[in-house]
């Protein structure tokens, strides 16, 4: 009785709690018949397979196997998200595998493979997932005699379920397969060489993510890898016989797929259907792009962190140079095609965790670039009536490849990246505008190393990549834009400021400009490391003047384009 006393005297808040608990009890009772029915169904299937395996007579009859399979299947169909759905699906897979042992029908083995795969795919966190993955290895090793494939399946147990109880067994199988293939090799090809030690799993780089941006006729795919690796790519023709679209695949050597990565990313933007990734060989990850229609593609890598960028372009980007009678050789392609400027993407350099260069009294590049970019955006809209888009509107981090991806997907006509320069010698000052190309001098290479946040040594790697990329780039248009903007700045700033130095238009391999499909420049407004210029960069008036200078440059660039000889 004493137990009741506190309950009677409880404050109202506890009454709520008690009625809530009572409600829970009631619900449990009400739900009980349903889960009891579930349990019965599953128990029936379990009894069925127990009887099957016990009886030497039953086990020889196909319909006895099928009865048990149907038992589990009816549970799984009825409760595909039930608490024991994984167990039921796994049981059907195992039964099909067992049945194949007697029937030797390849269709039974296919059923088993499909179901084991479904367990791994649908219930990756289930305790049956690693068992199912291991079973796949067993099937390929024992029944299909496909040792390379078996190796991959066992390998996935180790990679994808590093904490699962099947890992030691899978490792044992891997070691067996390695010694087997090693022996065979030593008999045939390399009789005197010592056995090659198996690749240490930890030495592989991980493919951690695949990101993408897409527009009607442009898609950028970025593959993130946690270490520098070699890769190769191949374009495959469509194979209508097996319903395969044309495919572009990239093999990443010495790498493993991260277990958290989902196998396929649907894209469906008219260029690509989807992107898939799989552990193709023990040390090779294959990324496949299923193609709808593409005209061209480019692949390059960026470092720190290492990533592979694939730019895919569609038909309408391919601009045909029309053979015309009034063709004047001195005018540019953009002029010939009458392409006007309607949209500008402005890219405030750095941001978030990346402050860029920092001045002697603490002025940060990322804040200055954002302030100038916002002023530039406003002026472009008001004064030139252009559409102006910022790659970032606030103090957030944005990877370099995402900035050009935005410009490309937005189909911008111009791309202007805003930066402040830096030098270890604080007396260095001045303004310069850059275009993407191989570096012309040591100073440009040094700056590229800083802006790319990589070592200067890497710059030479990048220049190799560039040779390939430059074929399609808008180098002439970009340098015309850079000339105009540099000229605009040098005309505007001396009106209010003394000691404005012209460092000229330069070129260097900047990651942020790679793959931009429109004329693109990088404005190194002034040196934040120089005391005088740092103070100016932090002031609204100077930022306004810089924006005015850039506007004047863009205005004269557009005017040049409109002034097409023979049409005025
Ligand atoms: Zn910068």
């Amino acid at each position: 009785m004493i137990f009741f006393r506190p309950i009677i005297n409880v404050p109202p808040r506890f009454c709520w709690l008690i009625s809530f608990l009572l409600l829970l009890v009631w619900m449990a009772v009400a739900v009980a018949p349903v889960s009891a029915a579930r349990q019965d169904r599953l128990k029936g299937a379990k009894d069925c397979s127990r009887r099957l395996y016990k009886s030497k007579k039953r086990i020889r009859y196909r319909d006895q196997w099928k009865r048990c399979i149907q038992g589990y299947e009816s549970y799984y169909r009825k409760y595909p998200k039930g608490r024991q759905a994984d167990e039921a699906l796994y049981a059907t897979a195992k039964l099909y595998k067992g049945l194949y042992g007697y029937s030797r029908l390849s269709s039974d083995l296919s059923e088993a493979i499909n179901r084991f795969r479904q367990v791994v795919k649908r219930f990756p966190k289930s305790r049956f997932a690693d068992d199912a993955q291991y079973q796949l290895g067993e099937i390929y090793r024992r029944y299909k005699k496909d040792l390379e494939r078996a190796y991959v399946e066992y390998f996935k147990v180790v990679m994808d379920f590093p904490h699962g109880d099947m890992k030691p067994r899978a490792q044992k199988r891997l070691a067996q397969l390695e010694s087997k293939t090693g022996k065979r090799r030593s008999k045939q090809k390399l009789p005197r060489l010592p056995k090659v030690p198996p690749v240490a799993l930890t030495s592989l780089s991980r493919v951690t993510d695949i990101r993408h941006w897409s527009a009607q006729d442009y898609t950028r795919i970025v593959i993130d890898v946690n270490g520098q690796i070699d890769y190769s790519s191949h374009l495959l023709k469509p194979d209508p016989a097996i319903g395969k679209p044309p495919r572009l695949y990239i093999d990443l050597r010495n790498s493993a797929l991260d277990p958290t990565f989902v196998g396929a990313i649907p894209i469906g933007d008219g260029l690509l259907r989807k992107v898939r990734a799989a552990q193709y060989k023990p040390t090779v990850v294959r990324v496949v792009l299923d193609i709808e229609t593409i005209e061209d593609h480019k692949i390059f890598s960026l470092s720190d962190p290492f990533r592979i960028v694939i730019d895919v372009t569609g038909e309408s980007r391919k601009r045909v140079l029309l053979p015309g009678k009034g063709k004047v050789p001195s005018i540019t392609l953009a002029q010939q095609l009458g392409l006007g400027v309607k949209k500008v993407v402005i890219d405030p350099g750095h941001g978030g965790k990346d402050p860029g260069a920092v001045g002697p009294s603490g002025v940060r590049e990322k804040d200055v670039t954002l302030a100038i970019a916002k002023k530039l955006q406003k002026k472009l809209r008001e004064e030139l009536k252009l559409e102006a888009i910022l790659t970032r509107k606030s103090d957030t981090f944005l990877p370099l490849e995402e900035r050009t991806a935005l410009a490309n997907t937005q189909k911008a006509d111009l791309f202007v990246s805003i930066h402040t320069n830096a030098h270890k010698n604080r007396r260095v000052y001045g303004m310069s505008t850059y275009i993407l190309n191989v570096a012309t001098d040591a100073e440009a290479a040094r700056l590229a190393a800083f802006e790319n946040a990589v070592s200067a040594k890497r710059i030479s790697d990048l220049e190799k990549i560039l040779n390939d990329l430059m074929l399609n780039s808008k180098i002439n248009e970009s340098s015309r834009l850079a000339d105009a903007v540099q000229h605009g700045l040098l005309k505007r700033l001396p009106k209010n400021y003394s000691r404005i130095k012209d460092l000229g238009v330069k070129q260097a391999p900047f990651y942020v400009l790679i793959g931009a499909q429109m004329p693109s420049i990088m404005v190194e407004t002034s040196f934040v490391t120089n005391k005088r210029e740092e103070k100016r960069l932090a002031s609204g008036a100077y930022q306004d003047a810089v924006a005015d200078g850039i506007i004047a440059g863009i205005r004269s660039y557009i005017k040049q384009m409109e002034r097409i000889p023979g049409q005025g």
Side-chain angles (χ1 to χ4, degrees):
M1 286 304 282
I2 192 130
F3 296 111
F4 279 107
R5 201 166 294 149
I7 292 177
I8 292 161
N9 295 329
V10 283
R13 204 148 40 108
F14 283 100
C15 285
W16 278 109
L17 182 66
I18 287 155
S19 28
F20 177 67
L21 287 174
L22 284 173
L23 182 71
L24 279 184
V25 170
W26 176 81
M27 276 167 66
V29 172
V31 166
V34 177
S35 59
R38 280 190 197 187
Q39 289 306 321
D40 283 352
R41 209 180 276 254
L42 196 62
K43 192 173 170 294
K46 280 181 181 171
D47 287 344
C48 177
S49 49
R50 207 172 297 130
R51 282 197 302 272
L52 174 75
Y53 286 119
K54 254 191 203 159
S55 157
K56 281 181 186 161
K57 196 179 155 205
R58 275 174 206 263
I59 213 160
R60 281 184 279 136
Y61 292 97
R62 185 174 183 81
D63 61 334
Q64 296 290 333
W65 287 89
K66 290 290 268 188
R67 246 183 60 195
C68 302
I69 291 171
Q70 275 153 13
Y72 282 112
E73 214 151 52
S74 74
Y75 174 89
Y76 178 71
R77 291 247 163 84
K78 188 119 202 235
Y79 313 107
K81 285 179 180 158
R83 209 148 36 92
Q84 281 155 304
D86 53 343
E87 186 181 350
L89 185 60
Y90 179 77
T92 63
K94 258 203 120 171
L95 281 164
Y96 267 114
K97 187 189 159 210
L99 174 57
Y100 173 77
Y102 291 88
S103 74
R104 294 284 150 179
L105 284 174
S106 63
S107 59
D108 288 337
L109 200 58
S110 307
E111 287 285 352
I113 292 173
N114 286 342
R115 281 146 200 268
F116 282 129
R117 286 221 191 284
Q118 280 181 40
V119 173
V120 177
K121 204 175 154 192
R122 293 192 191 173
F123 308 100
K125 296 209 169 98
S126 152
R127 66 194 165 98
F128 294 98
D130 60 332
D131 294 70
Q133 184 58 55
Y134 182 81
Q135 288 294 338
L136 286 165
E138 291 286 278
I139 289 175
Y140 280 102
R141 184 183 59 86
R142 274 182 66 186
Y143 298 139
K144 294 227 160 199
K145 312 279 182 214
D146 182 346
L147 299 189
E148 193 167 332
R149 188 63 187 264
Y151 190 99
V152 173
E153 302 294 352
Y154 291 126
F155 185 76
K156 281 184 178 170
V157 176
V158 177
M159 289 305 289
D160 297 353
F161 306 98
H163 308 296
D165 58 348
M166 297 309 283
K167 187 181 165 185
R169 284 210 230 175
Q171 279 172 323
K172 212 172 138 192
R173 290 282 192 226
L174 286 171
Q176 286 169 355
L177 288 175
E178 273 157 10
S179 66
K180 229 183 201 174
T181 45
K183 256 179 221 155
R184 201 183 299 150
R185 229 176 265 143
S186 65
K187 268 181 202 158
Q188 293 167 352
K189 282 182 190 168
L190 309 163
R192 279 181 198 173
L193 281 179
K195 204 168 78 188
V196 181
V199 185
L201 299 183
T202 48
S203 74
L204 299 175
S205 289
R206 284 223 167 201
V207 176
T208 54
D209 201 7
I210 295 183
R211 298 171 284 144
H212 75 97
W213 296 266
S214 65
Q216 203 190 347
D217 48 15
Y218 167 78
T219 306
R220 172 169 280 187
I221 307 280
V222 175
I223 306 167
D224 291 308
V225 187
N226 73 353
Q228 187 116 17
I229 50 146
D230 287 331
Y231 60 93
S232 56
S233 68
H234 306 270
L235 192 60
L236 294 178
K237 290 202 175 81
D239 193 344
I242 50 167
K244 290 264 186 194
R247 284 145 289 152
L248 174 67
Y249 70 83
I250 299 106
D251 279 347
L252 317 177
R253 283 187 279 280
N254 276 318
S255 56
L257 201 58
D258 196 271
T260 58
F261 181 76
V262 285
I265 301 165
I267 298 200
D269 59 3
L271 296 183
L272 300 178
R273 289 181 195 179
K274 59 179 185 292
V275 177
R276 299 174 278 137
Q279 194 72 44
Y280 176 64
K281 282 180 183 170
T283 60
V284 177
V285 169
R286 176 169 285 186
V287 176
V288 184
L289 280 63
D290 287 338
I291 296 167
E292 207 101 52
T293 52
I294 65 166
E295 270 297 310
D296 198 8
H297 73 276
K298 273 187 237 167
I299 304 179
F300 56 95
S301 65
L302 303 178
S303 37
D304 299 319
F306 185 79
R307 57 242 199 245
I308 297 163
V309 182
I310 306 145
D311 275 353
V312 175
T313 44
E315 268 176 11
S316 59
R317 277 282 173 189
K318 199 186 175 192
R319 285 161 181 170
V320 189
L321 204 138
L322 302 162
K325 356 174 183 138
K327 207 176 102 182
V328 180
S330 66
I331 60 171
T332 65
L333 185 60
Q335 285 174 325
Q336 286 176 48
L337 298 176
L339 301 171
V341 174
K342 292 183 187 73
K343 197 188 271 186
V344 181
V345 165
I346 308 160
D347 172 47
H350 311 273
K353 66 180 182 189
D354 169 21
V358 180
S361 50
V363 172
R364 297 179 301 184
E365 178 177 3
K366 66 171 182 176
D367 301 324
V368 174
T369 59
L370 184 61
I372 294 174
K374 282 183 171 169
K375 289 176 188 293
L376 186 58
Q377 181 187 38
K378 195 160 172 276
K379 287 172 198 281
L380 278 171
R381 284 174 177 167
E382 288 169 3
E383 295 173 26
L384 299 186
K385 310 284 177 235
L386 294 177
E387 195 180 334
I389 300 165
L390 297 181
T391 55
R392 66 176 177 99
K393 296 188 190 85
S394 57
D395 183 17
T396 47
F397 177 76
L398 199 62
L400 297 175
E401 69 274 17
E402 204 165 326
R403 299 171 190 254
T404 25
L406 180 91
N408 287 347
T409 52
Q410 288 285 335
K411 295 186 188 179
D413 301 302
L414 302 177
F415 179 76
V416 180
S417 190
I418 311 281
H419 289 255
T420 68
N421 214 330
H423 203 282
K424 59 176 186 286
N425 180 351
R426 288 186 180 180
R427 278 175 299 184
V428 174
Y429 70 98
M431 317 185 91
S432 49
T433 304
Y434 278 81
I435 61 163
L436 173 73
N437 206 338
V438 292
T440 38
D441 55 45
E443 200 43 41
R446 181 200 58 79
L447 179 64
F450 176 80
E451 295 293 7
N452 294 335
V454 297
S455 63
K457 194 186 135 278
R458 285 271 171 77
I459 293 302
S460 63
D461 297 343
L462 187 59
E463 293 189 335
K464 275 181 224 137
I465 303 167
L466 272 178
N467 287 332
D468 176 42
L469 291 175
M470 294 317 289
L471 295 172
N472 287 322
S473 80
K474 305 271 181 296
I475 188 158
N476 292 331
E477 287 299 316
S478 297
S479 77
R480 226 161 51 74
L481 176 63
D483 281 338
V485 166
Q486 180 71 5
H487 187 76
L489 286 167
L490 265 298
K491 213 174 153 188
R492 170 68 187 82
L493 285 146
K495 286 182 186 168
N496 301 77
Y497 300 91
S498 63
R499 306 187 75 178
I500 295 294
K501 194 198 261 177
D502 180 8
L503 297 178
V505 169
K506 296 183 170 190
Q507 54 185 49
F510 294 111
Y511 283 171
V512 72
L513 300 181
I514 292 185
Q517 295 180 329
M518 67 290 305
S520 44
I521 57 168
M522 186 161 175
V523 185
E524 292 284 350
T525 50
S526 294
F527 281 77
V528 75
T529 43
N530 175 274
K531 266 212 167 124
R532 185 182 56 253
E533 294 203 331
E534 180 195 28
K535 206 177 154 197
R536 288 176 177 178
L537 284 168
S539 85
Y542 189 77
Q543 292 166 358
D544 265 316
V546 168
D548 285 339
I550 296 172
I551 293 272
I554 292 175
R555 191 199 298 269
S556 83
Y557 171 82
I558 295 172
K559 272 199 181 145
Q560 280 174 39
M561 203 144 64
E562 284 165 353
R563 230 183 288 130
I564 300 176
Q567 283 198 2

